[in-house]
Amino acid sequence: MRDSLEARIRELRLIAEHAPRYNRRSRHPERMPWVRLTSEPFPRLSVVRDVRDEPGATYLGPFASTNAARLAVEALHEAYPVRQCTRRLPAEPAMGASACVLAEMGRCGAPCTGGQDVAAYAQVVEAVRAGMLADAAPVARVHASRIAELVAQERFEEAVTVRERLTAYLRGASRAQRFEPVARAAELVAARRDDLGGWELVLVRHGRLAGTARVDRRTDPVPTIETLRATGEHVGAPIAPAPAAHPEETDLVLAWLDQPGVRLVAVSGAWTCPVRGAQGFKDAAEAVAAMRSREPEVHRVDPTSGRAPSVDLTDAAQAAGHAAPGGPSVVAPAPRTA
């Protein structure tokens, strides 16, 4: 018999609830940081502890640590000329305001002094938002090019630092993009054949396991599915991309859904992923292939096991200058009945 998804999630919930002294796994999910693109006249990137219902705000994560979240912010700053100052700027610049050194270096349009108005700065913000939600290629391209320069100069320690920034960004973007559809799905039912020929049935609501059931190979699973849907745990809608469960629980659910043989029986809402999202950069080979690609591809939604994206220094250097064009989100294949 394969490991039970329910058993693993019950263990996870017990650890999170009781926080055993010598077990750090799954403790304090509320402390897991996110990267937020703020909602204000001149938005900026910040590291926060929760996802709020704030129109216009965009999130990456959650991250395992504040340091990882800060590395992801640095990666976005390297790729886009978004302001890095932390104060809230008014729509009209203050009298006597002076620009920082980043403006002199061409890495910021200086909205603080009127160098950019709200409309012009909004174009920068939309590019950053696309990098967070849909198209990871621009960020990957900038870092791959920088890695190539550093490797050519044999400055390997600095190249590793750049790689770590890129990896942190890819990890956070990939996780947010995987969480988004399942967090928004009010109900998802999936089925998988067990070792005895029956069906393991799973009910997921907003990324939280809401119920499970099993039927043997001689039993029609449809009535059991309807009972499961009627009796499953009620789960309130979260603020996506944050799921209504511990992030590690949602990771387990997505990993289960990604197993061979799992069938989507029913899902509410759109089940989509971005064509050029961070999931296409999970390892060096995929990063190189994606950055060299010139034609749009359609990717199935990939609820991965949470394996950390990484980029090899040599492969990233070879990939420099080969950017993939951006693309819209696409709908995954239609659910198949059990």
Side-chain angles (χ1 to χ4, degrees):
M1 185 71 68
R2 297 168 182 166
D3 291 340
S4 167
L5 174 64
E6 182 178 10
R8 284 178 286 163
I9 287 180
R10 284 187 180 277
E11 177 189 15
L12 186 70
R13 291 178 182 176
L14 286 171
I15 292 172
E17 178 182 356
H18 297 288
R21 183 176 180 181
Y22 297 106
N23 191 331
R24 294 181 178 273
R25 180 176 180 266
S26 309
R27 294 172 64 179
H28 307 301
E30 71 281 359
R31 297 182 185 177
M32 299 183 76
W34 297 76
V35 170
R36 177 183 65 173
L37 179 63
T38 61
S39 177
E40 52 186 305
F42 297 102
R44 57 189 172 84
L45 295 164
S46 63
V47 177
V48 296
R49 291 293 179 182
D50 56 0
V51 174
R52 299 179 181 178
D53 187 7
E54 185 181 10
T58 305
Y59 292 87
L60 287 188
F63 293 83
S65 67
T66 300
N67 182 60
R70 287 173 178 164
L71 286 172
V73 170
E74 291 174 8
L76 289 164
H77 282 158
E78 282 295 314
Y80 304 102
V82 62
R83 72 182 182 96
Q84 299 183 32
C85 51
T86 58
R87 67 186 186 278
R88 186 182 181 91
L89 297 181
E92 296 294 332
M95 294 294 295
S98 59
C100 65
V101 67
L102 291 175
E104 297 176 4
M105 296 169 60
R107 297 180 59 183
C108 177
C112 56
T113 63
Q116 279 179 319
D117 60 17
V118 173
Y121 190 79
Q123 297 179 23
V124 177
V125 172
E126 286 308 306
V128 176
R129 184 172 286 114
M132 296 173 74
L133 298 179
D135 188 4
V139 180
R141 180 176 65 249
V142 166
H143 285 74
S145 178
R146 180 58 177 159
I147 289 171
E149 294 174 3
L150 293 171
V151 169
Q153 298 169 16
E154 298 186 0
R155 295 159 62 185
F156 300 115
E157 290 186 2
E158 294 176 60
V160 168
T161 300
V162 177
R163 182 191 63 185
E164 289 174 350
R165 281 204 306 260
L166 176 57
T167 299
Y169 157 75
L170 290 174
R171 179 180 297 171
S174 177
R175 203 175 198 188
Q177 290 163 15
R178 289 188 299 117
F179 278 15
E180 179 82 20
V182 73
R184 292 190 182 279
E187 185 172 277
L188 182 151
V189 181
R192 184 186 69 172
R193 285 283 189 188
D194 62 26
D195 295 338
L196 301 177
W199 289 102
E200 179 183 0
L201 308 172
V202 165
L203 173 66
V204 178
R205 288 175 173 159
H206 297 298
R208 179 180 175 87
L209 182 67
T212 63
R214 289 181 181 273
V215 295
D216 61 42
R217 61 184 179 181
R218 293 179 293 273
T219 302
D220 181 1
V222 174
T224 303
I225 290 172
E226 294 307 314
T227 300
L228 180 62
R229 297 173 74 173
T231 60
E233 176 187 356
H234 171 75
V235 179
I239 303 170
H246 189 297
E248 290 186 23
E249 175 173 333
T250 303
D251 282 332
L252 287 174
V253 168
L254 290 169
W256 188 92
L257 290 171
D258 196 43
Q259 294 179 103
V262 171
R263 302 185 181 185
L264 290 180
V265 178
V267 60
S268 61
W271 188 248
T272 66
C273 70
V275 172
R276 298 297 174 190
Q279 295 179 68
F281 292 79
K282 291 194 303 297
D283 57 41
E286 291 178 356
V288 173
M291 294 180 71
R292 287 177 175 170
S293 172
R294 296 289 179 178
E295 297 296 332
E297 292 179 21
V298 174
H299 294 284
R300 176 182 177 274
V301 167
D302 181 22
T304 64
S305 60
R307 181 165 54 90
S310 62
V311 178
D312 180 83
L313 290 181
T314 304
D315 288 335
Q318 292 175 349
H322 298 280
S329 294
V330 294
V331 179
R336 295 170 291 176
T337 59

